[in-house]
Amino acid sequence: MSREWTRRRLLARLGTAGLLGALAGCPREDGEPRTETPTAETPRPTTADTAVSYETPTSADPVTSTPEPADYEQVVDVVEEGADPTGSVSIHSTLQSIDADHTLVRFPPGEYLLDEHWYVDEFHQLGIVGPEATITTVPNFGGPLFGLGRSGDATDLAVEGLTFDFRQGNTGPRPLHLTVADGLYVSDVSVRGEFDMNQDGMRFGVTDPDGTGVIRRLSMPDGGAPQYRNTGCYVGEDHRGHLRFEDCVVSRFPDNGLYASPARGRVDVVGGHYENSGISNVRVSGPATVRGVTVRCTEARRGVQNMRGIRLREGADVLVDGCRVVMDRVTGSDGAITCANWLESATIRNTHVTVRADGVRALWAKAPKNGSSAQRRFPLQIRNLTVDGSAAGNTAVMIHERDGTLLDGLCVCQTGRGRNGVTVVQSAGSALRRSSITVTGTPLVTERAQLDRRDLRLQSLENPSRVSTGACDCS
């Protein structure tokens, strides 16, 4: 089968508009080593003030995505090739003997022990499928278990249906390290048990700037042990193409759940649940889209630091749209949504943030280090943002030295004591429009900020009990 034929088939399965329309280790800047309904949708902005150079991703309904035997020149059943399906004997030698080119590798139902790396650097059209197959390993083995296409000289890789079982003590190597030039498809892969070794989780990358990939329904709910600074899912700096995460579950990792910066290619995150990870639950750089994602921080585990919800790290043209972020309990947090110093431009819209953890901001846009090169009047746009919850202290929304910030259609309803609403510091040419802010502290605080104000409703609740009378409502 030709590469182009399989690529067309992949695009057809994913939905061309969905994939192409939607469609990072390195040191961290903080000095440490790398290791319930959104508000109503508004029309896509089109004016000079609101234009954003992104393509809107759409979640295409998946057709059958299981790699079909007819797509490949050969089908290899690992048990027929001598692999033990009882988990007693390592299957490494069986995997090493497989010619990966134009090959579908089938894992029948069973348990498979892998105690060495399966590395295949170069291939064209490799499929791996095992919807009832479980991969186990031995204690203290460092992954990856599957290291496929690591040189980038590989195309058309599909992995579907495998379960990695790390419930045994001192297991949890990287399950998949997948890097291809084009045509990456991962679906319905899951990890059971905690990563309790000093190694990050999954790693993915598409190295061709015109290449595409999708990670669909990846499930990693049990996270990593707090004594190790492990990341759940990492998109490497060699990523140059277009990678989409769709309906994934990533929870309880000490050092980022989905860490997709500083990937140079586009990364889009569509749907899914991300919970209780440190540093960031979802972390992207521009260009990127985070759409329809749910993030919750409800568990303050010792050793899990700075539990941000969504972090926009750097670059331009980042879109956060239709997301739900809940901050109930944290060990500490910069905020539910944060715009880092390196971020040039972004749009955050149609998003609902609930903050009950005292002192935690719903949104913090930090002072940019290098200014903005965005070709629009308002480089940072915050539209139709709802902020509610009982958090006390600090301020709900902080804009710090961000010239040209637009806040439009905000509803802030924060009922904890001493809570301010929107704080704008040294941000020239900014605007606050059509917004309702009700807090126990000061609704709007400005410090050396040129702020165009229109159609505002500002309330300070001296007695938070007034909330029960309907004085504060964002519904």
Side-chain angles (χ1 to χ4, degrees):
M1 302 297 172
S2 73
R3 173 186 172 190
E4 185 57 33
W5 188 92
T6 58
R7 174 176 166 81
R8 287 200 303 269
R9 186 178 181 91
L10 174 62
L11 294 177
R13 287 176 177 160
L14 300 177
T16 303
L19 181 61
L20 297 181
L23 315 158
C26 62
R28 292 201 303 268
E29 74 287 350
D30 35 32
E32 299 178 19
R34 230 243 50 74
T35 53
E36 213 337 279
T37 305
T39 54
E41 183 88 13
T42 56
R44 180 176 174 179
T46 56
T47 68
D49 284 357
T50 60
V52 186
S53 57
Y54 62 82
E55 294 180 298
T56 301
T58 58
S59 270
D61 292 334
V63 194
T64 175
S65 55
T66 301
E68 301 288 348
D71 297 350
Y72 298 86
E73 293 180 1
Q74 64 172 338
V75 178
V76 175
D77 182 308
V78 296
V79 173
E80 293 179 358
E81 294 298 313
D84 173 27
T86 72
S88 301
V89 180
S90 175
I91 64 170
H92 181 259
S93 60
T94 300
L95 296 179
Q96 286 291 97
S97 69
I98 295 173
D99 179 358
D101 272 340
H102 308 288
T103 300
L104 176 62
V105 180
R106 291 184 58 251
F107 284 79
E111 181 176 304
Y112 300 88
L113 175 66
L114 185 57
D115 58 0
E116 294 185 58
H117 312 281
W118 182 31
Y119 284 144
V120 186
D121 284 356
E122 301 179 11
F123 55 83
H124 299 290
Q125 195 191 12
L126 170 62
I128 302 166
V129 60
E132 298 179 68
T134 298
I135 309 296
T136 63
T137 189
V138 294
N140 302 311
F141 171 70
L145 294 175
F146 294 6
L148 305 177
R150 297 177 308 139
S151 69
D153 189 11
T155 58
D156 298 321
L157 172 62
V159 180
E160 180 172 284
L162 298 178
T163 295
F164 294 87
D165 190 341
F166 295 154
R167 290 177 292 180
Q168 182 181 4
N170 298 315
T171 57
R174 171 169 287 160
L176 301 176
H177 186 156
L178 310 181
T179 306
V180 299
D182 187 20
L184 177 63
Y185 180 73
V186 177
S187 178
D188 298 291
V189 170
S190 62
V191 178
R192 292 187 296 185
E194 186 178 62
F195 287 75
D196 58 359
M197 293 176 54
N198 189 19
Q199 187 167 37
D200 290 340
M202 306 287 187
R203 177 164 175 164
F204 305 108
V206 176
T207 60
D208 189 323
D210 295 323
T212 58
V214 65
I215 313 298
R216 176 176 289 164
R217 294 187 297 274
L218 172 68
S219 180
M220 307 172 69
D222 299 325
Q227 64 265 35
Y228 302 117
R229 302 300 303 276
N230 291 346
T231 292
C233 188
Y234 183 62
V235 182
E237 61 276 4
D238 54 356
H239 171 66
R240 299 289 192 278
H242 211 165
L243 188 60
R244 172 191 178 101
F245 290 84
E246 182 178 309
D247 298 329
C248 298
V249 175
V250 181
S251 302
R252 305 183 79 246
F253 284 91
D255 182 67
N256 293 281
L258 174 57
Y259 187 167
S261 67
R264 298 186 183 182
R266 185 178 185 91
V267 176
D268 292 325
V269 188
V270 181
H273 289 76
Y274 298 81
E275 300 184 351
N276 292 317
S277 291
I279 309 301
S280 306
N281 279 270
V282 175
R283 169 174 170 159
V284 297
S285 293
T289 297
V290 182
R291 182 190 294 279
V293 166
T294 297
V295 179
R296 295 182 183 273
C297 290
T298 61
E299 180 186 5
R301 284 196 298 163
R302 180 177 299 178
V304 178
Q305 303 175 7
N306 203 355
M307 298 173 69
R308 303 178 182 99
I310 299 172
R311 187 177 189 211
L312 312 183
R313 170 54 168 77
E314 62 185 317
D317 295 339
V318 182
L319 172 66
V320 176
D321 185 23
C323 294
R324 183 74 171 101
V325 184
V326 178
M327 307 294 283
D328 277 335
R329 297 185 62 205
V330 297
T331 53
S333 177
D334 278 1
I337 302 175
T338 63
C339 302
N341 307 97
W342 298 268
L343 182 72
E344 295 183 22
S345 65
T347 296
I348 300 165
R349 70 184 190 190
N350 307 324
T351 289
H352 184 176
V353 178
T354 297
V355 186
R356 302 186 185 99
D358 291 346
V360 176
R361 301 175 179 91
L363 186 146
W364 184 9
K366 302 179 182 181
K369 287 188 175 294
N370 302 314
S372 173
S373 60
Q375 300 300 309
R376 55 178 181 172
R377 179 180 174 187
F378 296 112
L380 178 60
Q381 300 176 19
I382 301 160
R383 297 175 168 273
N384 295 342
L385 174 69
T386 295
V387 179
D388 58 16
S390 58
N394 212 322
T395 188
V397 176
M398 166 67 81
I399 309 298
H400 190 206
E401 297 182 20
R402 284 273 176 181
D403 293 349
T405 294
L406 173 65
L407 302 119
D408 188 5
L410 272 62
C411 184
V412 178
C413 175
Q414 292 265 259
T415 62
R417 294 189 180 277
R419 184 73 161 179
N420 292 336
V422 174
T423 300
V424 183
V425 178
Q426 290 182 259
S427 300
S430 297
L432 175 62
R433 302 171 180 170
R434 300 184 302 171
S435 296
S436 173
I437 304 171
T438 304
V439 291
T440 59
T442 304
L444 177 60
V445 178
T446 59
E447 299 178 17
R448 303 181 301 282
Q450 301 172 4
L451 188 65
D452 177 24
R453 313 177 194 189
R454 305 180 193 176
D455 302 325
L456 304 182
R457 180 175 181 266
L458 308 179
Q459 289 191 96
S460 180
L461 301 175
E462 296 181 3
N463 182 0
S465 65
R466 288 182 56 195
V467 174
S468 62
T469 69
C472 182
D473 184 14
C474 287
S475 61

